[in-house]
Amino acid sequence: MRAAAVLAVVTIALPPPAHAGTVKGRVELIEKGGGKAASLAEVVVFLDGVRARPGPARATMAMKGKSFIPRLVVVPVGGTVEFPNEDPIFHNVFSVSGDNRFDLDLYKRPKRGSWTFQHPGVARIYCNIHPQMSAVVVVRDNPYFTKAAPDGTFAIPDVPPGRYALKAWNERASEVAREVSVPAKGEVEAQLTLDASQFKRARHKNKFGKDYDTDEKY
Ligand SMILES: [Cu+2]
């Protein structure tokens, strides 16, 4: 008798590698006029060049009071972001950022919207009704990333040992990088400084590539 071939689909939670270190430190951001930013909560810190497949991930970016909350979300490739509309009015979430382009069209509760991001990069998120609504989803090709705490501290644990580029990103500054050497056990510390002193906010177009109407319709 032939044994039946059985295809089992199992989800395996990978334990941290036997040899892994933590990358920790602090970021700061220089504002116009040379002062330091009071909150670093919209800074992403990540490692480039780590070969590791990210697992599935979900995150939430709500629309409330005609704002995206939080304004910055980071997910690995394949990660899904929910965009719940908590306002009593319609919003239309969209992005025209390269391969991560999407359009959820108009909706409000109880309809829900979400998007699965399949390409690494920075997706700029807008609402097609309210030009003042803007946010960012950063999509990474490995799971070694974090958002900085408001005080600028960060920690990326369970990193396989090796030399990588540690990078920090904020929408108002150029990306900064430095090399870190992650030990097989223990920590490596690094400091990164972003410069937003030259930032000028540019007006963005709607999902049709046109200027927004001056009157809100919804
Ligand atoms: Cu809106």
Side-chain angles (χ1 to χ4, degrees):
M1 196 171 121
R2 259 175 49 191
V6 179
L7 272 179
V9 179
V10 289
T11 309
I12 300 165
L14 291 173
H19 297 285
T22 295
V23 181
K24 58 182 284 193
R26 184 182 286 271
V27 289
E28 53 183 27
L29 185 143
I30 309 299
E31 297 280 14
K32 266 190 189 65
K36 287 179 185 172
S39 171
L40 286 303
E42 289 181 6
V43 172
V44 191
V45 184
F46 58 92
L47 287 167
D48 232 0
V50 192
R51 289 168 67 169
R53 250 191 185 293
R58 293 191 89 80
T60 299
M61 178 181 278
M63 289 165 276
K64 197 172 184 181
K66 296 185 188 174
S67 292
F68 289 108
I69 300 170
R71 286 197 63 248
L72 170 67
V73 158
V74 199
V75 289
V77 164
T80 298
V81 179
E82 304 269 356
F83 295 95
N85 181 355
E86 294 177 8
D87 282 333
I89 55 169
F90 282 102
H91 292 298
N92 177 178
V93 186
F94 76 95
S95 177
V96 290
S97 295
D99 292 333
N100 286 316
R101 163 188 285 267
F102 69 96
D103 180 1
L104 301 184
D105 279 324
L106 286 170
Y107 65 93
K108 63 180 180 181
R109 282 173 295 180
K111 205 177 159 222
R112 300 177 64 87
S114 68
W115 187 253
T116 299
F117 291 85
Q118 303 288 10
H119 306 277
V122 173
R124 294 184 188 270
I125 310 294
Y126 299 118
C127 170
N128 202 51
I129 309 298
H130 307 107
Q132 72 272 34
M133 294 176 67
S134 75
V136 173
V137 174
V138 174
V139 187
R140 292 290 308 143
D141 63 0
N142 72 56
Y144 301 103
F145 57 77
T146 188
K147 277 170 74 173
D151 69 357
T153 53
F154 67 88
I156 305 174
D158 302 328
V159 182
R163 294 176 88 82
Y164 311 109
L166 174 70
K167 298 186 175 179
W169 184 93
N170 171 268
E171 66 169 341
R172 296 184 289 118
S174 301
E175 187 174 277
V176 291
R178 58 174 298 169
E179 194 182 69
V180 290
S181 188
V182 179
K185 202 170 165 42
E187 299 172 349
V188 57
E189 282 206 47
Q191 180 136 350
L192 292 158
T193 301
L194 289 153
D195 184 357
S197 63
Q198 306 302 315
F199 176 73
K200 287 192 183 71
R201 190 168 291 282
R203 208 175 268 193
H204 66 88
K205 303 286 188 189
N206 69 13
K207 69 181 185 182
F208 306 110
K210 301 258 163 52
D211 288 331
Y212 280 74
D213 289 341
T214 43
D215 297 325
E216 289 177 4
K217 295 192 188 68
Y218 301 92

